[in-house]
Amino acid sequence: MQDDINNIRKMFEKDLETYSKSGDFDELYLKYFSKTHGLVTNLLKKIPSLSAEEKRTFGTSINTIQNELKQAITEAKAAFKTATINDPAIDLSIPEVPLNSGELHPITKTIIEMNKFFRYHGYSIAEGPEIETVEYNFRKLNLPEGHPATDLQDTLFVKEPDILLRTHTSSIESRILSEYEPPLRVIVPGKVYRNETANASNLGFFHQYQGFVVDKGVTIQHLKGILEEFHKFLFGENVVLRFRYKYYPEVSPGMGVDIRCQFCEGAGCTVCRQRGWVEVLGSGMIHYNTLKMCGIDPEEYTGFAFGMGLDRLAMSKFGISDIRKLYSGEMIYV
Ligand SMILES: [Zn+2]
């Protein structure tokens, strides 16, 4: 036992010298005092099995070495700290260099910013499955079998004929309308899938930002109001909007929304393809049939919905020219 104590003391003297150079005193402490494998801890564990006489002889020695070693570590630690502060080679006044730890994706940043606006206006944010059933993706949204929008060419099926990759975030709208009671104000940002050939402006998937409101007495004026506010938030007070009738099967009436081209102020340029206006979203009053199929009484409640593509919005916001860059491994500094 006495040999063990002597050996530990010798080993500690060497270790103290080594660790005082690196300053890693926590590791040194654990080598001797770790609860599971510390060298001194192991000695302490042996005490209960010693005879009464051995306990008298070695008990004190073990306690002494314990105190000695702990004190030595504390002193070495303090000395190391003082030496570091006083070392002229180390200038502690130099400001810390921030680590380059990456950025949020441009799409994520856009979603966060837009969510702020809608949260302020009392909307909840919802997410849902990207693998969806035909029922929620098409049928409940007034898209019966054989409707052109359900064309097999555009839809990626996981398992025909019922399971697919959602083609729009409206699938979450039909899920929520089927599950919850109005009044409802909900935003759904998310990824959607189409069977498209990849090029500079199209990919097999993209992001949509969907919103809908269902309550008693909701009219198209409420829809126009929130869209006007939203575009001012996004593009500034001077934005000019144009509302026009447009057909979308899941809403009636449907309303397309354009903003006056911000590059040419309506005169016509390459960005707006000489039209003077840029289409930004589709919207409308939720179809009578959709409300009915989702179990909401269309005689009592009305609602509106709107949806927009996020990718092109993020591209124009961050000056990204090719949609594929949004999803490649290439670093884009924004
Ligand atoms: Zn233009």
Side-chain angles (χ1 to χ4, degrees):
M1 182 58 88
Q2 191 56 53
D3 285 348
D4 287 348
I5 298 172
N6 292 342
N7 287 339
I8 287 176
R9 187 172 269 117
K10 269 186 209 156
M11 195 193 286
F12 180 79
E13 277 166 16
K14 269 191 199 163
D15 279 346
L16 187 65
E17 209 180 309
T18 316
Y19 282 90
S20 293
K21 283 175 195 153
S22 66
D24 201 352
F25 296 107
D26 290 341
E27 200 179 304
L28 177 66
Y29 185 89
L30 287 176
K31 182 173 177 181
Y32 291 88
F33 297 106
S34 154
K35 278 184 185 157
T36 49
H37 57 269
L39 296 172
V40 176
T41 316
N42 289 344
L43 284 182
L44 289 164
K45 281 180 190 164
K46 284 182 190 164
I47 293 178
S49 59
L50 297 176
S51 69
E53 195 177 327
E54 283 174 322
K55 272 183 190 162
R56 266 198 299 281
T57 324
F58 300 118
T60 327
S61 307
I62 294 171
N63 274 328
T64 311
I65 189 172
Q66 176 175 222
N67 295 335
E68 269 179 29
L69 265 52
K70 278 186 179 171
Q71 200 186 337
I73 294 175
T74 311
E75 282 170 8
K77 213 171 171 177
F80 182 81
K81 210 172 164 186
T82 316
T84 312
I85 291 168
N86 295 334
D87 187 344
I90 299 172
D91 183 355
L92 293 175
S93 67
I94 293 173
E96 203 178 323
V97 180
L99 282 175
N100 190 0
S101 56
E103 277 272 342
L104 289 175
H105 192 278
I107 293 278
T108 311
K109 281 185 177 174
T110 311
I111 290 175
I112 290 172
E113 198 179 330
M114 286 158 68
N115 285 353
K116 273 186 206 159
F117 172 86
F118 284 104
R119 273 182 195 280
Y120 176 79
H121 287 275
Y123 287 68
S124 307
I125 317 283
E127 285 187 332
E130 291 177 15
I131 296 175
E132 188 53 277
T133 62
V134 165
E135 193 193 357
Y136 286 114
N137 196 80
F138 292 134
R139 302 291 172 261
K140 288 197 169 194
L141 292 161
N142 199 37
L143 292 154
E145 216 164 327
H147 192 282
T150 68
D151 198 330
L152 295 178
Q153 302 267 309
D154 295 335
T155 308
L156 292 163
F157 279 89
V158 175
K159 195 177 166 208
E160 279 193 74
D162 292 327
I163 312 292
L164 45 77
L165 291 173
R166 68 179 182 199
T167 59
H168 46 195
T169 39
S170 306
S171 60
I172 310 305
E173 179 187 319
S174 61
R175 276 180 176 274
I176 290 170
L177 293 181
S178 304
E179 237 172 275
Y180 297 89
E181 294 285 318
L184 292 165
R185 281 187 197 193
V186 183
I187 278 298
V188 188
K191 203 187 272 178
V192 302
Y193 301 83
R194 301 276 171 91
N195 189 7
E196 297 217 31
T197 310
N199 58 37
S201 48
N202 288 302
L203 266 184
F205 63 91
F206 54 96
H207 287 80
Q208 273 190 343
Y209 198 84
Q210 173 105 8
F212 61 93
V213 169
V214 176
D215 203 348
K216 286 176 184 168
V218 174
T219 70
I220 206 157
Q221 290 304 325
H222 295 116
L223 171 61
K224 285 175 74 179
I226 192 77
L227 292 179
E228 261 168 19
E229 285 295 311
F230 174 64
H231 285 89
K232 278 181 188 168
F233 169 81
L234 215 57
F235 298 105
E237 282 293 318
N238 296 328
V239 70
V240 182
L241 266 70
R242 182 173 76 173
F243 300 100
R244 61 195 158 78
Y245 176 78
K246 198 175 175 188
Y247 171 74
Y248 302 102
E250 61 268 56
V251 287
S252 178
M255 186 171 77
V257 181
D258 304 333
I259 57 167
R260 197 172 72 185
C261 180
Q262 294 186 306
F263 293 90
C264 61
E265 298 198 327
C269 68
T270 51
V271 175
C272 60
R273 293 183 203 156
Q274 310 306 326
R275 290 176 190 149
W277 297 86
V278 180
E279 186 174 358
V280 282
L281 66 83
S283 64
M285 298 304 289
I286 299 175
H287 201 284
Y288 187 93
N289 291 345
T290 298
L291 289 174
K292 210 170 162 184
M293 281 187 277
C294 293
I296 291 173
D297 183 357
E299 300 294 339
E300 193 179 357
Y301 291 101
T302 49
F304 62 72
F306 55 88
M308 64 198 100
L310 275 181
D311 300 64
R312 280 176 210 160
L313 194 67
M315 283 165 73
S316 65
K317 195 169 149 68
F318 292 98
I320 299 162
S321 56
D322 187 324
I323 195 169
R324 289 167 293 194
K325 282 188 179 174
L326 275 177
Y327 304 107
S328 73
E330 189 188 350
M331 302 279 277
I332 302 166
Y333 296 99
V334 289

